[in-house]
Amino acid sequence: MNECQKTQQYITDAVDNRLSEVDRNFFEEHIEKCPSCRNDFELDALTKDFVKTKITRHTTPDSVAMRIKQEIEKQVASEQRTTSIFTRYPLARAAMIAMVVFGAAFIIYLLNSPDLQNTVQAANMMDQSIENYDLFLAGTIQPQQFGQSVDELREYFRERVDFPVVLKPVKECEWVGGVLSDYNGLSLAHLVYKMPTGIVYVYQANWKEVRKGNKISLSNGAITSLSQTGWYVNGSHDKYSVVMWLYNNETVCTAVSSMEKSELKEMFSTETQKY
Amino acid sequence: MLFASPTNNRDTEQKHEDFQREAIPHMDILYNYALRLTGNTEDANDLLQETFLKAYRFWDKFEQGTNCRAWLFRIMRNSYINRYRKAVKTPEHVDYNEIKEFYNTIREQSTDANDLSERLYGQLLDDQVTTAITDLPEEFRTVVILCDIEGFTYEEAAEFVDCPIGTIRSRLHRGRKLLRDKLFKYAHERGYEVND
């Protein structure tokens, strides 16, 4: 590297007074005898000063600052409205209390419990949905977002999973909760409808992934029925009704509830609305 | 299955309070950055609002005790880049020598820096200087704004942009050269207009 190249590398630091004494001595000696490097240095220093003096500093216009604060307060209010459902609905409150009692430790225990990991891995989507339903009822799983209607969950699910989340408005629904989770790298969406008669849980996943069966699987009977008719209602479980359906060949939904199977199917069989 | 813990009203209030205390005070500096990035108040207002709403939404991702201003800057910069990604300008041809030759002649006639500066850049106005800055490619623009307008050290700028100090230095080097060329051209063109 010749002297000019070395000097060029020092110019920026020289303008900002950042050179060590040794480097500064070298730099100053060089620009004494090299007008080209000197001019480059002087031009940069001059430009820096010029820009600094010319630029006017602005304060945020009051109207803009106000609007931002209002928007944030709106968010705060909506978070509080959704969480205050806990105090309005006894079941949600019970779930909240259960959550506080068992706390994070219990969830960590669940996550690390080899039994559960094995059963979950071996289980198919239908078994998982039953298990999750029980966890919801026990309050072990908490919705992350609440709303008075599915519309209020639209924003929460937006672009966070790789399939359209089916957000079906349901009559007489008191509140609805949403959860996103990750299972073996698959993003899943969960909805909980609080009905006067109890909880309806809908588990949603990417249909292509479920068909592949690598991470979440389904019985051949269910896959065939879903592919041919879009529905699968034959699964037999002692405790609950389980109904599965396809949305747009992209999303597979599994609804679990203690209501009658036909009633459950009816609930989701009219025109479905996605986000 | 992994489920996040629930929030409650007290958490929300605390979050709002923290946000008011830590993030809101940086609004003016971000507003100025937004103005220099976008070059107009309308886009700057939108960008500022987007930045603060995002920051509030992702407040739990902010590590308490770290540099909140730098964190907000990164959100703004990313938002800006995402929003205007398609509008990337192709770099124009830059002739560094034009200004250097001119400077070389006027330097002989004057040793006063103010006088030199005026001969070089004439009476360029704030908004013309802003336009010149806005015309710089984003990577150089941000570093010039941070170091030359906001007066941050290279170390601070490196934290803001999330890159090594050497990168800040080389971008600043190039950015200043591009900027002085632009300013000179603006002043030059303006000079012709006045003379005509």
Side-chain angles (χ1 to χ4, degrees):
Chain A
M1 199 188 303
N2 67 28
E3 273 201 11
C4 283
Q5 285 168 333
K6 194 172 165 189
T7 305
Q8 285 291 328
Q9 289 193 344
Y10 285 168
I11 283 182
T12 308
D13 284 283
V15 170
D16 294 319
N17 256 325
R18 290 176 55 101
L19 287 180
S20 66
E21 205 181 324
V22 180
D23 292 341
R24 196 173 60 234
N25 288 339
F26 164 83
F27 181 81
E28 281 170 0
E29 259 174 49
H30 178 79
I31 62 171
E32 274 294 308
K33 61 191 181 202
C34 173
S36 174
C37 285
R38 181 205 61 204
N39 286 356
D40 259 331
F41 165 68
E42 288 182 356
L43 271 169
D44 273 6
L46 217 135
T47 306
K48 180 186 169 183
D49 286 344
F50 176 78
V51 168
K52 181 116 186 137
T53 54
K54 277 291 164 181
I55 287 287
T56 322
R57 299 210 55 85
H58 297 267
T59 50
T60 315
D62 285 346
S63 60
V64 176
M66 195 74 85
R67 200 178 65 210
I68 289 172
K69 285 173 192 164
Q70 279 168 355
E71 287 296 322
I72 288 165
E73 270 155 26
K74 262 194 227 163
Q75 291 234 359
V76 173
S78 98
E79 280 172 29
Q80 290 185 335
R81 194 172 61 240
T82 53
T83 52
S84 71
I85 284 169
F86 282 124
T87 56
R88 258 187 276 155
Y89 297 100
L91 189 124
R93 186 168 55 202
M96 181 70 190
I97 291 165
M99 186 66 203
V100 171
V101 170
F102 295 114
F106 186 57
I107 287 194
I108 289 163
Y109 161 75
L110 273 176
L111 289 171
N112 294 323
S113 154
D115 290 348
L116 187 101
Q117 296 272 325
N118 288 340
T119 51
V120 169
Q121 270 170 16
N124 67 14
M125 187 177 183
M126 193 171 261
D127 295 332
Q128 277 187 314
S129 64
I130 300 274
E131 234 171 88
N132 290 344
Y133 184 64
D134 277 332
L135 291 173
F136 270 113
L137 289 185
T140 310
I141 298 174
Q142 287 283 313
Q144 292 161 334
Q145 186 77 43
F146 284 99
Q148 315 279 35
S149 76
V150 279
D151 285 331
E152 290 175 44
L153 297 181
R154 230 165 271 280
E155 194 55 40
Y156 171 70
F157 283 116
R158 194 183 296 279
E159 286 170 16
R160 290 175 72 178
V161 286
D162 58 355
F163 54 87
V165 176
V166 178
L167 293 170
K168 163 96 176 118
V170 166
K171 271 185 205 157
E172 293 175 33
C173 171
E174 292 173 5
W175 54 261
V176 55
V179 189
L180 286 158
S181 70
D182 185 272
Y183 180 73
N184 284 349
L186 281 190
S187 307
L188 305 170
H190 313 259
L191 280 176
V192 183
Y193 293 90
K194 169 70 180 82
M195 307 299 292
T197 51
I199 291 275
V200 175
Y201 164 58
V202 185
Y203 174 171
Q204 307 190 14
N206 187 324
W207 170 233
K208 283 197 195 91
E209 293 292 338
V210 174
R211 271 185 84 157
K212 267 194 248 160
N214 296 339
K215 292 160 181 169
I216 294 175
S217 62
L218 265 182
S219 68
N220 288 334
I223 290 195
T224 311
S225 174
L226 281 168
S227 307
Q228 287 172 358
T229 67
W231 287 88
Y232 181 68
V233 288
N234 300 326
S236 61
H237 282 271
D238 350 323
K239 287 190 288 184
Y240 310 122
S241 299
V242 183
V243 169
M244 305 184 81
W245 74 97
L246 269 190
Y247 171 76
N248 211 20
N249 242 355
E250 290 176 276
T251 310
V252 53
C253 304
T254 307
V256 186
S257 153
S258 56
M259 63 172 70
E260 286 298 314
K261 224 176 253 181
S262 55
E263 212 185 328
L264 187 61
K265 188 184 172 190
E266 178 63 32
M267 199 171 145
F268 293 103
S269 47
T270 45
E271 196 192 331
T272 309
Q273 204 184 337
K274 70 157 192 161
Y275 87 77
Chain B
M1 229 170 254
L2 189 64
F3 292 98
S5 57
T7 56
N8 59 38
N9 278 356
R10 221 185 47 214
D11 288 347
T12 306
E13 273 163 29
Q14 185 64 45
K15 176 177 157 190
H16 190 209
E17 213 180 288
D18 290 347
F19 190 79
Q20 296 272 30
R21 193 187 56 242
E22 302 249 350
I24 295 291
H26 301 299
M27 195 180 282
D28 279 348
I29 195 169
L30 284 158
Y31 179 66
N32 280 281
Y33 179 49
L35 277 177
R36 309 296 161 221
L37 272 180
T38 62
N40 70 78
T41 50
E42 203 174 306
D43 286 341
N45 292 347
D46 286 352
L47 186 60
L48 187 69
Q49 175 162 336
E50 186 183 337
T51 303
F52 274 97
L53 288 180
K54 271 190 190 160
Y56 181 74
R57 229 172 98 194
F58 297 117
W59 187 243
D60 55 338
K61 301 266 191 298
F62 170 64
E63 279 175 52
Q64 294 290 331
T66 60
N67 190 337
C68 184
R69 193 165 60 175
W71 184 71
L72 292 167
F73 254 81
R74 282 197 293 272
I75 294 177
M76 178 170 276
R77 179 162 179 255
N78 290 337
S79 305
Y80 171 80
I81 292 171
N82 288 338
R83 192 190 281 215
Y84 297 93
R85 190 172 7 214
K86 287 182 191 104
V88 174
K89 296 165 198 140
T90 46
E92 61 213 82
H93 174 71
V94 178
D95 182 4
Y96 297 123
N97 287 326
E98 205 178 328
I99 182 171
K100 270 183 83 175
E101 278 164 20
F102 182 79
Y103 183 73
N104 205 28
T105 54
I106 60 169
R107 197 182 180 278
E108 304 303 317
Q109 302 154 15
S110 171
T111 47
D112 176 50
N114 284 336
D115 181 49
L116 284 171
S117 165
E118 198 178 319
R119 282 167 185 243
L120 268 181
Y121 300 133
Q123 295 295 322
L124 284 179
L125 301 170
D126 175 18
D127 58 346
Q128 290 168 306
V129 177
T130 296
T131 309
I133 292 170
T134 311
D135 273 353
L136 295 176
E138 188 280 327
E139 50 183 352
F140 304 116
R141 186 180 350 153
T142 290
V143 177
V144 168
I145 293 169
L146 290 174
C147 295
D148 287 356
I149 298 176
E150 300 301 342
F152 290 130
T153 63
Y154 296 3
E155 287 77 8
E156 285 170 311
E159 192 186 351
F160 278 50
V161 184
D162 208 9
C163 71
I165 289 172
T167 309
I168 296 293
R169 180 182 290 110
S170 59
R171 286 184 187 172
L172 191 56
H173 184 78
R174 181 88 201 281
R176 281 176 182 160
K177 282 194 163 47
L178 287 169
L179 184 59
R180 75 189 195 193
D181 178 73
K182 276 187 195 300
L183 291 172
F184 179 68
K185 278 188 181 140
Y186 282 11
H188 207 64
E189 284 160 13
R190 192 167 172 274
Y192 280 130
E193 277 164 28
V194 171
N195 289 340
D196 287 348

